[in-house]
Amino acid sequence: MKISDVKLTVVGVPRHTGFVNKHVIVEIMTDEGVTGIGEMSDFSHLPKYAVDVVDLENVLKSMLLGKNPFDLTLINNVLSENYPAVMYYYEKGSFIRNGVDAALHDLCAKYLHVSVAELLGGRYQEKIKVCYPIFRHRFIEEVEENIAVVRKRLQEGFDVFRLYVGKNVDADEAFLARVAEEFGSSVKIKSIDFSHLLDWKESLRIVKRLAQYDFEMIESPTVRNDFEGLRQFRLKVDHPVSEHVWDFRQQYEMIRHDSVDIFNISPIFIGGISSARKAAAAAEVAGKACLLGTTQELSIGTAAMAHLGSSLVNLTYTSDPTGPKLYTDDIVKKPVQYEQGYLLVPDRSLPGLGMELDWERIERLRVPDLSWGDVSVHQLQDRTS
């Protein structure tokens, strides 16, 4: 079996906040009639530059046509040489590698008539506990809006939330107080997430202020790649510390400095399912736990994470992939399913990722390119319209 064609389709899908995220659907065709699908998720990140999708499609064809899709190691090495990791969280080369790698996994599993989880070694679990995000407060008036979000999502079965903090600490504290007052033990705050916006000393001051409230862990409390600062922060707090993995060198430095307790691993940021499995294995060898992170994918990207997570033995903390719940639409006929705060791994009877493209939806959401228009940095950071 040989790869015969590659097709990229750009869609713009609104969030419930009004912000429109742009994603690229990947289709990889073969000479035996099997097609794999993947997702280059959420290109709407800083730095504010756009990939030329027509050029990207032609370049990927030059790399992939004629290759055996089962040669995953070979193809991923070629992709890494051309879209290398650069120690940056939102490096768009990683987004590209992730979409191609997911499509290859989908294709190979379909050819074998198994699910991707079976291709990865089998299922350790059939569902993954996830949390719903509460985005960063800018103004105190947003507290009640976010309490309403908790109220609504709790009714849908989501009882664990993560809170982005650090922009308006008065509002962050007011929100945590309101959660404790209204919901008590029925709601759990998984993490307070600083998103690398502050240095570790400022994050530490905020943690001390918020420590009277109940939350499980602290995420990304230093500027990117400050491994010693991350270690100093970890030594001075009582909560476990989590950080994303976006580069194997970065993960090595975090292990060497003993900077974290939990590795936040997401295929989108490390460059695909293949690389995410390596990162999870490195964490296991180092005696560290994992959780699945997210950029808020659509259902294809979320299904890929569900299959990955189902195969990991050290996925011991609540994970983050709730993207399909944040958007007003999707690109597949049957989106991934959630039940009582768990992401369900697609049924093992469904080959590949278990997703089928819905071209009626896609045509409605299709956009010509990944250009930014008049979107501001403020809108990018807070995902607002």
Side-chain angles (χ1 to χ4, degrees):
M1 182 168 60
K2 302 295 182 183
I3 296 173
S4 60
D5 203 3
V6 179
K7 180 182 177 184
L8 304 181
T9 304
V10 185
V11 292
V13 187
R15 293 192 181 199
H16 291 294
T17 62
F19 185 85
V20 177
N21 286 80
K22 292 187 176 181
H23 314 260
V24 178
I25 302 167
V26 182
E27 297 173 89
I28 299 179
M29 295 80 160
T30 66
D31 57 0
E32 296 198 20
V34 183
T35 296
I37 59 174
E39 178 185 308
M40 299 176 187
S41 311
D42 193 3
F43 270 92
S44 303
H45 277 294
L46 291 168
K48 196 176 179 183
Y49 64 80
V51 176
D52 183 326
V53 178
V54 174
D55 179 67
L56 176 60
E57 182 178 274
N58 289 329
V59 171
L60 290 177
K61 287 180 181 180
S62 73
M63 295 180 193
L64 299 177
L65 296 193
K67 287 189 168 53
N68 184 332
F70 280 95
D71 290 337
L72 288 164
T73 301
L74 170 66
I75 293 173
N76 272 290
N77 280 346
V78 171
L79 290 170
S80 293
E81 288 172 358
N82 287 277
Y83 304 104
V86 294
M87 294 282 283
Y88 184 69
Y89 187 23
Y90 296 125
E91 166 52 37
K92 292 172 184 178
S94 298
F95 296 14
I96 294 167
R97 289 186 281 122
N98 173 59
V100 173
D101 190 53
L104 290 171
H105 276 83
D106 183 58
L107 195 165
C108 292
K110 284 176 177 174
Y111 185 81
L112 296 173
H113 303 288
V114 299
S115 76
V116 166
E118 274 64 55
L119 191 68
L120 298 177
R123 299 176 184 226
Y124 187 73
Q125 52 195 333
E126 294 287 348
K127 59 184 181 179
I128 298 165
K129 186 67 175 177
V130 293
C131 61
Y132 195 87
I134 301 297
F135 292 102
R136 195 167 282 105
H137 295 97
R138 297 163 297 166
F139 312 107
I140 195 72
E141 291 79 12
E142 292 175 322
V143 170
E144 288 304 320
E145 297 174 16
N146 280 331
I147 290 296
V149 172
V150 174
R151 196 179 294 125
K152 175 185 177 182
R153 297 303 178 178
L154 182 60
Q155 292 175 348
E156 297 173 359
F158 293 96
D159 58 351
V160 182
F161 297 82
R162 60 189 176 101
L163 175 65
Y164 289 91
V165 298
K167 183 167 286 189
N168 186 325
V169 184
D170 290 338
D172 297 335
E173 183 170 9
F175 173 81
L176 291 169
R178 286 282 286 109
V179 167
E181 175 188 355
E182 179 170 341
F183 304 104
S185 61
S186 62
V187 162
K188 178 180 179 181
I189 301 297
K190 185 202 80 169
S191 60
I192 56 172
D193 188 343
F194 288 92
S195 304
H196 317 109
L197 295 181
L198 304 174
D199 66 59
W200 72 268
K201 293 181 180 179
E202 181 61 23
S203 295
L204 183 61
R205 283 191 286 270
I206 294 172
V207 167
K208 289 179 178 179
R209 177 174 171 179
L210 300 180
Q212 61 182 301
Y213 303 100
D214 189 21
F215 53 88
E216 185 178 15
M217 71 178 73
I218 304 160
E219 293 194 324
S220 304
T222 67
V223 295
R224 284 183 293 268
N225 300 322
D226 180 8
F227 309 114
E228 180 58 27
L230 193 57
R231 177 177 178 273
Q232 290 296 329
F233 179 89
R234 180 180 177 235
L235 292 174
K236 291 173 174 60
V237 296
D238 295 326
H239 294 81
V241 175
S242 169
E243 182 56 281
H244 300 263
V245 179
W246 53 78
D247 188 300
F248 291 122
R249 174 57 188 269
Q250 174 236 7
Q251 186 180 26
Y252 163 77
E253 292 292 346
M254 288 191 288
I255 292 172
R256 187 168 74 89
H257 285 81
D258 201 16
S259 298
V260 301
D261 303 283
I262 306 157
F263 284 116
N264 182 321
I265 296 172
S266 177
I268 184 70
F269 295 126
I270 192 65
I273 295 172
S274 298
S275 292
R277 291 185 71 200
K278 292 179 184 178
E284 186 178 0
V285 169
K288 304 293 185 181
C290 291
L291 63 85
L292 288 178
T294 185
T295 185
Q296 308 306 348
E297 296 80 357
L298 300 171
S299 276
I300 296 173
T302 305
M305 287 192 288
H307 284 281
L308 169 67
S310 75
S311 69
L312 300 180
V313 297
N314 58 335
L315 185 67
T316 51
Y317 282 86
T318 300
S319 292
D320 299 339
T322 51
K325 291 293 182 180
L326 273 67
Y327 293 103
T328 63
D329 211 336
D330 213 316
I331 56 174
V332 296
K333 291 184 177 179
K334 293 183 178 179
V336 293
Q337 296 297 303
Y338 295 87
E339 184 178 279
Q340 296 302 309
Y342 284 86
L343 168 62
L344 303 184
V345 183
D347 191 272
R348 65 177 70 226
S349 67
L350 300 172
L353 294 172
M355 297 287 112
E356 182 181 358
L357 294 175
D358 185 332
W359 283 101
E360 183 177 335
R361 283 177 156 183
I362 292 168
E363 290 302 329
R364 186 170 65 248
L365 297 166
R366 186 195 289 263
V367 293
D369 54 43
L370 293 169
S371 62
W372 293 91
D374 59 357
V375 174
S376 70
V377 171
H378 170 84
Q379 289 171 305
L380 292 177
Q381 289 179 331
D382 294 330
R383 290 303 197 253
T384 57
S385 59

